[in-house]
Amino acid sequence: MKAESRSICSQTIDLNLLHIYEAKKRISPLVRHTPLVKSNPLSSLFNHDVFLKLEFLQDPGAFKVRGATNKILSLSPTDRKRGVVTFSTGNHGLCTCWVAKKTDTPAVVCVSKRVAKLSPKRIEFMRALGAEVVVSGDTQDEAGEMAKELVASRGLTLIHPFDDPFVIAGQGTIGLELLEDEPSISSVLVPLSGGGLISGIALAMKSARASIKVIGVSIENAPVMYESIKACHPIEMKEVDSIAESLLGGIGLDNRYTFEMVRDLVDEIVLVSEEEIENALSFTLENHHWLLEGAGVAGIAALLSNKASGAGKTAIILSGSNCEARSLLKQLQI
């Protein structure tokens, strides 16, 4: 689907390129400038340069460390000492725990029963990093309600997984790195769930050059942002199982930032199937020797299925590698 051409940001959003540059400076002690590498297999297949942004090489294994770091380091010493709370389908919680440990900040992560069942290793990692894990509700939205209750009852600061200007600006530093490493990029494919990642990248890159095409990639199973854009307001959808579980979860009926930013900045949203994600996982493992999580190869899935294409230089964000390796390899029959 095409997004209408609008201004860089809604008038209700006080977020601009300067905030992303401030985030870049703030997070640099803890966050890597990840490599941008040319994929020879994909470039040969599609007859134009395709580059891969290796965000799975961040220490916690996912891009989410950028937003979590920017938010936590923006807090006062008093607020950090009091502690933070978040809710997550996995990677944001893990990255928040990692940053919290690095900064001596007590952390609580609220996860749904689904996440606790599907991603037990991530839960173990969170606890190993010293975080308190609270299992509550059947969906990410319900886990989010528990997090808000802990904000009220314990005075913790909420580290929202996507709908927060500091988190968005942190994720937007990826866009700055793309422009630094390959200034002539003409399009970028970005995994899309709650919209924090694509909002930050789109703001950074379109501020530099409005003609850069930003394409969001969601899964056919419960694409909440896609359906919300179609409905012209945030909606709720039932969560279902997916090989790309990190792309599940709602955007919040009270969404303040990412719904408008995706609506106004993203050129197109495409949906990929479970089979197309599986094909992309196999392709990535066989051709690049990287075992990534399903959400991490969403952009490759869109390219291989011819649902997203373009001339010129294309960048794909490989967002994470935190997966249950044995079960994933079994599902892929490898």
Side-chain angles (χ1 to χ4, degrees):
M1 63 182 294
K2 296 284 185 180
E4 293 182 16
S5 177
R6 300 176 186 263
S7 59
I8 287 295
C9 266
S10 165
Q11 294 179 357
T12 63
I13 298 174
D14 180 22
L15 185 62
N16 57 49
L17 186 60
L18 176 61
H19 295 107
I20 300 178
Y21 275 105
E22 290 173 342
K24 179 181 171 75
K25 181 177 180 180
R26 186 180 289 121
I27 72 177
S28 60
L30 294 179
V31 175
R32 285 195 175 98
H33 180 135
T34 54
L36 181 69
V37 301
K38 182 178 177 180
S39 170
N40 290 322
L42 288 171
S43 298
S44 298
L45 197 58
F46 291 97
N47 295 314
H48 64 86
D49 289 343
V50 179
F51 294 88
L52 305 176
K53 180 66 168 166
L54 310 188
E55 279 299 293
F56 63 88
L57 293 181
Q58 298 291 355
D59 283 340
F63 77 92
K64 290 277 191 178
V65 70
R66 294 175 182 265
T69 300
N70 193 42
K71 180 64 176 181
I72 290 176
L73 291 184
S74 73
L75 301 178
S76 69
T78 300
D79 286 339
R80 288 212 298 267
K81 184 176 181 180
R82 190 180 295 119
V84 300
V85 61
T86 193
F87 56 101
S88 175
T89 55
N91 280 332
H92 176 71
L94 179 61
C95 289
T96 297
C97 295
W98 185 86
V99 179
K101 185 175 179 62
K102 290 285 186 180
T103 58
D104 295 319
T105 304
V108 182
V109 182
C110 299
V111 299
S112 68
K113 296 172 186 176
R114 287 189 74 260
V115 171
K117 179 180 179 181
L118 294 173
S119 302
K121 286 190 176 179
R122 292 188 202 182
I123 305 302
E124 290 177 18
F125 291 156
M126 293 176 196
R127 290 183 170 133
L129 287 167
E132 175 186 349
V133 178
V134 177
V135 179
S136 178
D138 296 317
T139 66
Q140 176 172 257
D141 287 342
E142 291 175 1
E145 291 304 311
M146 173 56 71
K148 293 174 184 176
E149 290 180 20
L150 294 176
V151 169
S153 63
R154 292 167 55 173
L156 304 176
T157 297
L158 179 65
I159 312 297
H160 199 284
F162 52 88
D163 199 35
D164 180 284
F166 286 95
V167 171
I168 294 167
Q171 321 303 27
T173 59
I174 294 174
L176 296 183
E177 292 178 13
L178 289 172
L179 292 169
E180 290 173 16
D181 294 343
E182 200 61 52
S184 57
I185 281 175
S186 59
S187 63
V188 57
L189 276 64
V190 186
L192 172 60
S193 179
L197 175 61
I198 200 168
S199 293
I201 289 176
L203 178 58
M205 301 191 77
K206 285 184 174 288
S207 295
R209 195 167 74 250
S211 62
I212 294 175
K213 188 175 182 180
V214 179
I215 302 169
V217 186
S218 292
I219 49 174
E220 290 179 353
N221 291 339
V224 183
M225 182 63 81
Y226 174 86
E227 295 295 341
S228 295
I229 298 295
K230 285 176 61 179
C232 300
H233 60 83
I235 66 168
E236 291 180 323
M237 295 182 70
K238 182 179 179 181
E239 290 184 11
V240 296
D241 291 342
S242 173
I243 195 171
E245 74 276 2
S246 293
L247 295 183
L248 295 173
I251 68 169
L253 295 180
D254 58 348
N255 188 291
R256 296 178 58 204
Y257 297 98
T258 60
F259 170 77
E260 292 188 17
M261 293 184 74
V262 172
R263 181 196 66 194
D264 295 349
L265 294 172
V266 174
D267 297 284
E268 186 177 2
I269 300 173
V270 299
L271 305 182
V272 292
S273 68
E274 297 296 298
E275 182 180 359
E276 287 162 349
I277 289 282
E278 290 181 9
N279 289 341
L281 285 166
S282 296
F283 179 92
T284 305
L285 183 58
E286 292 169 3
N287 288 276
H288 292 289
H289 315 297
W290 301 323
L291 180 61
L292 305 185
E293 61 188 85
V297 299
I300 292 178
L303 204 61
L304 290 176
S305 61
N306 293 312
K307 291 182 175 178
S309 61
K313 295 179 179 179
T314 298
I316 300 176
I317 311 301
L318 303 188
S319 57
S321 61
N322 292 312
C323 59
E324 303 288 331
R326 289 185 180 180
S327 61
L328 180 58
L329 289 171
K330 184 177 181 180
Q331 187 168 350
L332 297 176
Q333 299 181 339
I334 295 176

